[in-house]
Amino acid sequence: KMIHVKSDEERKSIQSEIQKIQGRFRRDIRMKTRDTETFDLIDHVIINQKDMPLWQTIKRKGIFDIWVDKCTDAKIFPEFNRETILNTIIEGAYPLHPVTTCCLPKLSEKVAQNERTLFQFLCKDEPNGVFAFIKNPIETKDGKLSTMTVDKLMDYFREEIRKSDREHIRKTWKEYHYAEGLLANSHDLHKSIAKAIAILTMASDERIKFNTTPEFIAFSLNENTKDVLESLESMSSKTN
């Protein structure tokens, strides 16, 4: 298997490391730590078998190099150079999409409670988590690289977002929930776009404000910009 999450014993050790980090920075059940340590932990939890032929095929397609360019242009990892973005954020955290990797600790810190933490998203065999996702084929039916895009965070953290008492989160949830109702019978891409915009808005902070341009939304969803533009136009007619 090309991708796997560490064993129960190893995961317990990693959870212990997370708890130590939490204790150093904040005596709280929420994950709040330096980005570099968080991304290193994600890289440590997810193991990619880079010597397998399929991994080499992915590398030859140049998808990861394109992602590095887009991450660099968007400045979503300002403290990292291109090599670190490639090795730790993209290759190290795959199947997470790099925008998902960037949003995950920020969103988890803002909304996660006991039952939903960054560690559990990565390691527990639960619906919509990483452990469940890696059971899927590495490529989609249309030949695209399968990756956990940013909209998947809404699927996993939905209840925590809904229950949040943070004003910014509540406001964004209310707007998203309204749009969700209007888009109930719409194309799946429309729903993913609505989720992505909500997550990018919620995860933004004073250091990194995520873009919600059609180009960046398309990147965060691993979709074609033209398709996203057409979807946004269609969604606008339904939600206005």
Side-chain angles (χ1 to χ4, degrees), residues 18 56 75 77 81 124 133 136 177 234:
I18 289 175
Q56 298 305 317
K75 298 181 173 60
F77 300 104
N81 59 29
K124 295 291 184 181
F133 185 86
N136 297 326
H177 191 52
S234 175

Side-chain angles (χ1 to χ4, degrees), residues 64-124:
F64 291 160
D65 292 325
I66 293 171
W67 286 0
V68 172
D69 291 339
K70 290 184 180 293
C71 288
T72 303
D73 291 344
K75 298 181 173 60
I76 60 174
F77 300 104
E79 67 274 37
F80 296 146
N81 59 29
R82 291 180 60 89
E83 183 180 5
T84 304
I85 292 173
L86 176 62
N87 294 333
T88 301
I89 303 298
I90 295 177
E91 292 189 4
Y94 182 78
L96 296 184
H97 186 281
V99 177
T100 308
T101 302
C102 191
C103 288
L104 175 59
K106 299 176 185 299
L107 184 69
S108 177
E109 189 277 322
K110 290 178 179 179
V111 306
Q113 303 296 327
N114 274 327
E115 68 275 15
R116 282 288 190 273
T117 65
L118 185 151
F119 172 79
Q120 287 168 312
F121 175 76
L122 293 170
C123 295
K124 295 291 184 181

Side-chain angles (χ1 to χ4, degrees), residues 5 12-13 16 21 28 35 93 102 122 124 133 153 159 172 204 207 215 234:
V5 174
K12 286 176 184 176
S13 173
S16 175
I21 292 171
D28 194 300
D35 286 348
C102 191
L122 293 170
K124 295 291 184 181
F133 185 86
L153 294 179
E159 279 304 297
T172 306
S204 291
R207 197 170 63 85
E215 292 77 14
S234 175

Side-chain angles (χ1 to χ4, degrees), residues 16-32:
S16 175
E17 288 301 310
I18 289 175
Q19 288 168 344
K20 288 177 187 176
I21 292 171
Q22 289 173 326
R24 287 205 303 272
F25 289 91
R26 179 177 170 185
R27 297 188 68 183
D28 194 300
I29 57 171
R30 295 175 182 170
M31 179 67 152
K32 186 173 185 180

Side-chain angles (χ1 to χ4, degrees), residues 1-5 47-61 64 91 94 134 136-139 145:
K1 197 169 185 178
M2 196 182 83
I3 310 167
H4 69 272
V5 174
I47 307 300
N48 287 298
Q49 305 295 334
K50 297 182 180 180
D51 57 340
M52 292 186 69
L54 185 54
W55 184 268
Q56 298 305 317
T57 299
I58 293 169
K59 290 276 288 182
R60 282 196 298 273
K61 288 183 177 180
F64 291 160
E91 292 189 4
Y94 182 78
I134 61 176
N136 297 326
I138 199 73
E139 288 187 336
L145 181 65

